[in-house]
Amino acid sequence: MNDDLKRDRRGRIPREDSVCGVMTPLPRAVDTSASVMDAAEIMRDANIGDVVVLDSGLLYGILTDRDIVIRVLAEGDDPATVTVGQVCSRDLTTISSTASVRDAVSLIREKAIRRLPVVEEGGEVVGIVSMGDIAVARDPKSALSDVSAAPPNT
């Protein structure tokens, strides 16, 4: 753990320095049996680029708008008949809500990923932390922050 992180009297990282302080809480989720079309409609309606995929309430994978394009549309498959469980990304890296933002940045860099599901001990998904979330919270004048905070162009 880094010595320069502020800690409270109990040794915990303050909320503003922890993942729970920057994550997007309660991400949209679908079951593995949902169609890719269902997931795409959720993404459209919520103006988001990913949904969490659950199996029996536990994290199974993540489906992004890019996954839909590359793994379904570009293959000529029908998004109404392909399930999210068939095409979602399964090799996931997760993080705890009590981890530091610095730890999240390290994982994002090390794994070259854009999003980290935030998972509690029992496996419950409580949020997503993205590069954009971190940029908005930590470097609000950066180009990534500007893009991440801008309203979607519809």
Side-chain angles (χ1 to χ4, degrees):
M1 187 76 51
N2 295 317
D3 293 331
D4 58 343
L5 290 176
K6 297 178 235 153
R7 295 185 176 271
D8 70 9
R9 287 185 212 163
R10 295 185 191 131
R12 295 179 302 202
I13 299 168
R15 179 177 172 84
E16 63 274 7
D17 292 327
S18 68
V19 168
C20 72
V22 299
M23 72 180 187
T24 300
L26 304 172
R28 303 283 195 214
V30 295
D31 189 75
T32 55
S33 62
S35 75
V36 169
M37 182 64 80
D38 292 338
E41 289 171 353
I42 291 169
M43 289 183 207
R44 178 200 61 208
D45 294 346
N47 293 316
I48 56 176
D50 61 86
V51 292
V52 172
V53 181
L54 303 176
D55 185 26
S56 301
L58 297 178
L59 182 62
Y60 180 86
I62 191 165
L63 182 74
T64 67
D65 44 11
R66 185 175 191 281
D67 294 330
I68 294 171
V69 171
I70 302 298
R71 298 178 184 163
V72 181
L73 299 178
E75 294 295 325
D77 294 332
D78 180 0
T81 62
V82 175
T83 67
V84 296
Q86 293 173 290
V87 295
C88 67
S89 297
R90 297 281 322 277
D91 186 21
L92 299 178
T93 299
T94 62
I95 195 163
S96 165
S97 64
T98 59
S100 72
V101 171
R102 187 170 306 215
D103 289 340
V105 170
S106 293
L107 277 173
I108 287 170
R109 280 187 179 144
E110 175 187 326
K111 303 287 186 172
I113 54 178
R114 290 174 169 75
R115 300 167 179 92
L116 278 171
V118 181
V119 180
E120 293 301 327
E121 277 187 40
E124 178 187 5
V125 179
V126 296
I128 294 274
V129 64
S130 70
M131 292 188 305
D133 293 330
I134 294 168
V136 168
R138 299 293 182 191
D139 193 7
K141 295 184 187 224
S142 70
L144 179 57
S145 176
D146 287 346
V147 170
S148 298
N153 37 333
T154 54

